[in-house]
Amino acid sequence: MTASDSSRQRGTRTDGSERAEHLAGLIMAFARREGMKAGDRLIEQRLADALDLSRAPIRLGLKALEAAGLARGEPHRGFVLAKNPTSGAAQPALAAVRRNEQVYASVAGDVLASRLPTDVTEAELKRRYDVTRAELQRLLDRIAAEGWIARLPGYGWRFAETVSSPESQAQAKAFRAVIEPAAIAQPGFALPQEVIVRLRERQLRVFEGELEKMTIGEIFHSGCEFHEDIIRGAGNPFFLEALRRVNSIRRLFAYRSFADRDGMRRHVREHLRLLDILETGRYAEAAELMAKHLQRPLVAGLS
């Protein structure tokens, strides 16, 4: 099947069914990242918080998973996984997520390499990346939310020139090297034991083989989740909001830098070492390690 054949086939579905399949894929990808197994509960509020969505689209995605035989409703338990996220049955749902990440990475790469004009139309983007209207709208909504494209008055879109500059990359890195150690050094900083356990389990799964199966988007998301969960320990929402904002800008550079899997493993080892130090309450030492961790070259990936 050619790319144009695939695009036509995708285009035969309604936007509603395509959205439901997309949401189902996001839920299954989350279950895979969390190491969930068949029989585990798919809790609506937990999914909504993790995917930054309301509960209504989560329900839509859960129903799509049920229709695909990947989830089932149980009395007094809500939805549970019917298949392991790593099973062959889950791959079609995950494939849609991977495709979206590949298109996103292609756009990011083209912007960084100046292969796209500053001003573009939806028709141009749809043709260039062989996406459906619904796929393109999700892509543009995501990029706009991250701050590196904006709708022009009346017609077309404009990429922000500043977010792809080397200066922006250096500034983002310098900013994180200030705020993240400072958050750990706050007098009231505390990281609950259950958070440390959860983060350690995630990082060990990545280190022990999951890294080779993850898309670039999943790798980046894993790193963001790790650092955002730690900065929450300061109990100051301004730290978290600032980090989320800089992560949305940093994503552009990170997508170009994730070829170094050995470098990423080194970063995961540092994540695990940082958790060991935080677990014993040695916050001054943890802040110092965080500062060193963030000063490593971006090509190492997960910082």
Side-chain angles (χ1 to χ4, degrees):
M1 180 184 292
T2 66
S4 59
D5 291 336
S6 177
S7 181
R8 281 194 296 272
Q9 187 180 70
R10 293 194 308 274
T12 62
R13 299 190 307 241
T14 66
D15 288 355
S17 64
E18 192 175 321
R19 180 169 183 256
E21 289 174 13
H22 171 71
L23 292 164
L26 291 179
I27 293 170
M28 191 56 69
F30 170 79
R32 182 171 160 275
R33 287 197 303 273
E34 292 294 296
M36 296 175 70
K37 306 292 184 185
D40 287 348
R41 290 184 63 200
L42 293 164
I43 301 171
E44 283 186 13
Q45 192 58 57
R46 182 187 179 198
L47 292 169
D49 292 341
L51 300 176
D52 196 22
L53 294 167
S54 69
R55 293 177 70 165
I58 293 298
R59 291 189 196 104
L60 184 64
L62 289 171
K63 289 177 181 177
L65 285 177
E66 184 178 37
L70 298 173
R72 65 177 181 271
E74 292 189 350
H76 312 299
R77 295 192 74 203
F79 284 96
V80 300
L81 277 173
K83 303 285 185 182
N84 288 338
T86 54
S87 68
Q91 295 315 302
L94 293 169
V97 176
R98 294 192 186 100
R99 170 179 161 73
N100 291 334
E101 289 297 332
Q102 288 166 355
V103 175
Y104 178 100
S106 295
V107 176
D110 287 345
V111 170
L112 289 169
S114 300
R115 289 190 290 264
L116 281 171
T118 301
D119 293 353
V120 292
T121 67
E122 292 186 13
E124 290 169 340
L125 293 173
K126 187 173 179 292
R127 193 164 48 245
R128 181 182 181 96
Y129 298 106
D130 187 30
V131 292
T132 66
R133 183 171 62 88
E135 287 172 334
L136 179 62
Q137 194 56 59
R138 282 197 301 270
L139 177 68
L140 291 172
D141 287 346
R142 174 180 175 182
I143 296 173
E146 292 172 359
W148 49 284
I149 200 171
R151 187 184 290 277
L152 291 171
Y155 187 70
W157 295 78
R158 174 169 293 167
F159 289 106
E161 296 180 11
T162 55
V163 299
S164 60
S165 69
E167 292 79 9
S168 293
Q169 179 179 356
Q171 289 165 357
K173 182 177 177 181
F175 183 68
R176 290 185 67 212
V178 170
I179 66 165
E180 294 194 50
I184 296 174
Q186 292 297 296
F189 183 89
L191 208 60
Q193 181 63 26
E194 60 266 25
V195 174
I196 292 175
V197 170
R198 173 167 49 81
L199 291 177
R200 183 179 284 121
E201 288 175 351
R202 286 178 180 173
Q203 294 299 300
L204 283 171
R205 284 199 303 273
V206 172
F207 188 75
E208 292 173 354
E210 190 69 14
L211 179 62
E212 302 304 327
K213 306 172 188 174
M214 295 167 75
T215 66
I216 289 175
E218 288 174 327
I219 293 169
F220 181 79
H221 187 70
S222 172
C224 288
E225 282 185 332
F226 179 88
H227 286 269
E228 289 172 10
D229 278 345
I230 287 178
I231 211 169
R232 279 191 182 93
N236 184 330
F238 291 101
F239 277 117
L240 179 59
E241 289 305 315
L243 180 58
R244 283 177 169 170
R245 171 60 180 161
V246 79
N247 275 341
S248 70
I249 299 301
R250 186 175 67 92
R251 182 186 301 265
L252 226 60
F253 304 101
Y255 267 75
R256 190 171 57 177
S257 307
F258 280 171
D260 182 7
R261 299 282 166 139
D262 288 338
M264 283 185 270
R265 287 190 192 86
R266 288 193 297 272
H267 262 48
V268 173
R269 279 198 295 269
E270 288 188 3
H271 284 178
L272 292 167
R273 173 62 178 156
L274 182 63
L275 290 173
D276 290 341
I277 296 171
L278 288 168
E279 190 170 33
T280 58
R282 290 141 54 203
Y283 296 139
E285 185 179 345
E288 183 178 349
L289 177 58
M290 179 66 85
K292 291 178 181 177
H293 175 71
L294 294 171
Q295 288 163 6
R296 305 213 189 281
L298 183 64
V299 73
L302 279 175
S303 69

